[in-house]
Amino acid sequence: MTNDIITTTPPAEEKARKKAAVRRFVLRQLVFELGLPLGCYYALRGAGVSPWAALLAGGLLAVPWIVHGMIRHRRVETMAVFTLVVLLVGSLMTLVTGDPRTLLVRDSWLAAVIGIWVLATVPTRNPFLLSAFRPMIVAKVGEDGYRQWRSRWTTEPDFRRHVRILSAVWGVVLTLDAGVRVVLALTVPVDAVPTASTAQWLVVLAGLILFHRRYVMTKGLEA
């Protein structure tokens, strides 16, 4: 007779693994969606490229990252497609106008459209958070964990209410952030706008994430 040895991961080790997975996911987002576009802009400006061309090239750097994510996960993410379409349309608009501030304001109306879209999903059966945070939850607990988390929508009224509230908060903040971006795009010197806008967004994002984490933990929304 042989004894089956069952090994389990200690809770502390499993928790650390999940946190590390989320940190890697967030780091990749910051590098590919903020760091590279901003670095590209200033590198091209330093090489004498015109502001509008540098802005266009920096913005388009996000496109391969979005497409790569969809191919890698073999899934079409609604948010990724939406962002991709707006980026491409905004870039084409800039090619037509040739005005660097048009591209800067494009980022503002992109944030505004996303914010309004998020708010529009709040009363539906698929609020923003149910799908937008799928990549982060999958990175933390895997596909099965995400499906279990999402299944709470059909069985727990409190879960539905809290997801809607949290989605509404994201929508309002994103919409207000768009207004600040417009002011920056129209008043700050063109070469300083990418840094100012990125710094402002990082502050807003940090505040949102802190609020989000606290709300998720206190309301039992963790995956």
Side-chain angles (χ1 to χ4, degrees):
M1 179 182 293
T2 60
N3 294 323
D4 293 331
I5 300 176
I6 300 176
T7 59
T8 59
T9 303
E13 183 178 334
E14 180 66 13
K15 186 176 182 180
R17 184 194 65 78
K18 291 179 179 179
K19 287 184 176 180
V22 172
R23 283 197 296 268
R24 287 194 298 270
F25 174 82
V26 173
L27 180 61
R28 286 196 299 268
Q29 298 293 106
L30 290 175
V31 169
F32 288 102
E33 295 185 12
L34 286 177
L36 284 182
L38 192 62
C40 175
Y41 171 80
Y42 283 112
L44 291 176
R45 289 293 291 136
V49 177
S50 66
W52 76 265
L55 283 165
L56 176 60
L60 288 178
L61 273 180
V63 174
W65 166 250
I66 294 173
V67 174
H68 169 72
M70 291 190 294
I71 295 175
R72 179 183 177 186
H73 298 291
R74 297 180 181 179
R75 180 186 176 94
V76 178
E77 300 286 357
T78 302
M79 194 67 179
V81 172
F82 181 82
T83 302
L84 183 60
V85 170
V86 175
L87 279 171
L88 292 176
V89 171
S91 298
L92 290 175
M93 287 176 57
T94 306
L95 288 174
V96 173
T97 63
D99 181 9
R101 290 198 183 273
T102 299
L103 190 53
L104 294 171
V105 174
R106 181 212 67 184
D107 292 336
S108 304
W109 67 256
L110 168 61
V113 171
I114 291 177
I116 294 171
W117 173 70
V118 170
L119 289 173
T121 68
V122 171
T124 70
R125 296 181 178 180
N126 188 35
F128 169 70
L129 288 184
L130 283 184
S131 55
F133 281 83
R134 177 186 173 278
M136 185 175 295
I137 294 176
V138 169
K140 182 180 180 181
V141 295
E143 288 285 355
D144 290 339
Y146 170 73
R147 283 192 289 268
Q148 292 175 9
W149 179 82
R150 188 184 175 97
S151 67
R152 296 176 61 186
W153 175 264
T154 60
T155 60
E156 302 179 26
D158 284 344
F159 180 84
R160 292 195 294 270
R161 179 167 58 87
H162 292 313
V163 167
R164 285 193 167 113
I165 291 174
L166 202 51
S167 295
V169 170
W170 276 85
V172 170
V173 173
L174 288 173
T175 304
L176 293 177
D177 172 73
V180 176
R181 287 170 179 265
V182 170
V183 174
L184 290 175
L186 296 178
T187 59
V188 176
V190 171
D191 284 346
V193 173
T195 297
S197 182
T198 299
Q200 177 260 339
W201 168 238
L202 287 176
V203 171
V204 172
L205 183 61
L208 262 177
I209 291 176
L210 287 175
F211 172 81
H212 177 93
R213 290 186 62 183
R214 180 175 293 274
Y215 193 89
V216 165
M217 292 177 65
T218 56
K219 304 301 181 182
L221 300 179
E222 285 187 295

